[in-house]
Amino acid sequence: MPELGEVEWYRKQWDPALGLPVLGVFTHPRSRIFRGTDKKALGTALTGSTLIRSAARAKQMLFAFRKEEKPFWLGVHLGMSGRLRIETGTDFTAGKHDHLVLVQEKHCAIFEDMRHFGRVLFHAGANEPDWWTDLPPDIVSDAFTLDLVTAFCHRRAKASLKSVLLMQERFPGIGNWMADEILWRAELHPARPAGSLSEAEIKTLWKETRWVSREALKRIGSNWSRLPDSWLFNHRWADGGKCPKTGKALVREKIGGRTTAWSPGRQQPPSSFKKAAHHLVKGGRPGHAAKKFSYP
DNA sequence: TCCTATGTTGTATG
DNA sequence: ACATACAACATAGG
């Protein structure tokens, strides 16, 4: 689920825990979530500490704790299926997908993740940890310049726009749905090689990247309200989904390693793009519509 | 049984 | 060394 706006929304779910002491810490005994992290040190440090603030950048969250003037830092990445939540009451028992539980007097702050693709990081020290300060410039900041995007498109000249937008080193916080939304608004086909764009097209890509990121933070980050039907988002997974601009059927196929929705007529494929055959396979199972030809 | 899933990373290849 | 493509990770649901 979580991309830029969703991550900001999940961060706020722990707001009820702010300013209150942590009475106990539960860490799941067999969990991939803590790979590379000292679970024991984390538990010892956070027990008796107070959560003083939190922040979200890209798909990463930082929670700052303090215990007797000593700062501790907790990092959370939600992966594909991670969520943060609060459970009210004093008799909470961790479920099988609950990996980290911070117990407070009247509630628990919980990190759950069914698929274990998420991650928890821990750091003890006076300053914010490197994995936080070394994040690339935020898309919504002034540091995210047209020049940065132009240089990146040139360096990744042969990669598809879809895969380039998913590269967190330059587009921090962009995920599958945001990438599709950006390319659809920019009228750029996801299979276009990044190096094939004109100056004007790069500028459009940059602008729409910033626009979608700002809107996602505004519309999802604050209260996760439903996006307008004028967005691609509400149509991209629907069977028989139609482009809200052209009214024509959207195409769904794997581009840049991820399922991608794009609008024929609006987003012109590059000449190198192999056209998929969208006919039904005889005897194909219902619900599994079209299978693609493989080209020799 | 086989396919999919809003993500990242390790590995193979050029 | 660098860029690119893709399997693997773990679990649930259609």
Side-chain angles (χ1 to χ4, degrees):
Chain A
M1 275 242 209
E3 299 178 25
L4 190 65
E6 293 89 343
V7 171
E8 166 63 6
W9 187 84
Y10 277 119
R11 177 190 70 80
K12 293 200 201 140
Q13 299 314 108
W14 274 12
D15 278 359
L18 283 168
L20 301 170
V22 175
L23 306 178
V25 176
F26 164 84
T27 53
H28 196 292
R30 257 181 43 265
S31 168
R32 257 189 104 240
I33 298 301
F34 297 98
R35 55 198 182 278
T37 296
D38 188 342
K39 261 197 289 196
K40 201 156 188 180
L42 180 160
T44 307
L46 296 192
T47 301
S49 72
T50 298
L51 176 59
I52 52 174
R53 70 180 175 88
S54 65
R57 288 189 61 191
K59 296 174 187 171
Q60 178 75 43
M61 286 173 279
L62 179 72
F63 294 90
F65 295 82
R66 189 157 300 169
K67 181 160 75 174
E68 295 150 9
E69 306 303 308
K70 275 181 300 191
F72 298 112
W73 312 90
L74 184 74
V76 177
H77 192 296
L78 297 171
M80 194 83 105
S81 54
R83 311 206 296 221
L84 299 188
R85 72 180 202 274
I86 291 278
E87 293 270 348
T88 310
T90 51
D91 59 346
F92 173 74
T93 309
K96 100 178 176 186
H97 299 311
D98 294 337
H99 300 278
L100 173 68
V101 180
L102 306 178
V103 183
Q104 295 184 321
E105 192 185 353
K106 289 178 180 156
H107 53 244
C108 296
I110 300 149
F111 170 41
E112 60 168 294
D113 184 2
M114 187 174 75
R115 293 174 72 183
H116 300 214
F117 292 170
R119 186 165 214 170
V120 167
L121 298 171
F122 175 69
H123 173 71
N127 301 314
E128 293 180 339
D130 293 346
W131 42 257
W132 179 258
T133 54
D134 292 353
L135 287 169
D138 289 325
I139 291 170
V140 296
S141 74
D142 290 343
F144 186 80
T145 60
L146 174 59
D147 282 353
L148 279 185
V149 172
T150 302
F152 197 70
C153 283
H154 292 159
R155 186 148 71 83
R156 302 293 185 165
K158 299 214 172 136
S160 67
L161 287 176
K162 178 59 182 268
S163 55
V164 165
L165 277 174
L166 292 173
M167 293 177 184
Q168 301 297 296
E169 63 193 276
R170 179 50 64 225
F171 298 98
I174 302 297
N176 204 21
W177 81 254
M178 290 182 76
D180 285 1
E181 188 75 37
I182 290 162
L183 294 172
W184 174 75
R185 288 177 183 275
E187 299 183 58
L188 293 167
H189 192 280
R192 288 274 301 277
S196 74
L197 269 61
S198 68
E199 266 183 52
E201 286 174 322
I202 295 178
K203 188 162 189 180
T204 305
L205 177 69
W206 170 70
K207 280 193 159 169
E208 296 300 341
T209 299
R210 285 168 71 88
W211 190 87
V212 171
S213 297
R214 266 196 224 99
E215 288 291 316
L217 282 169
K218 214 188 304 176
R219 295 175 179 275
I220 301 171
S222 48
N223 62 356
W224 207 326
S225 53
R226 182 185 159 84
L227 298 176
D229 283 339
S230 56
W231 287 47
L232 177 67
F233 182 84
N234 290 342
H235 310 272
R236 60 195 297 280
W237 291 133
D239 244 355
K242 302 234 187 336
C243 171
K245 299 267 193 203
T246 68
K248 292 204 291 183
L250 296 167
V251 174
R252 242 182 298 167
E253 63 194 319
K254 198 152 283 200
I255 299 175
R258 306 294 298 279
T259 301
T260 299
W262 59 279
S263 174
R266 180 178 174 82
Q267 297 163 277
Q268 295 306 327
S271 49
S272 61
F273 189 64
K274 303 231 189 292
K275 242 191 269 176
H278 296 286
H279 69 276
L280 288 174
V281 172
K282 214 175 169 182
R285 297 199 292 124
H288 290 261
K291 203 165 186 168
K292 270 173 283 171
F293 276 139
S294 49
Y295 284 75

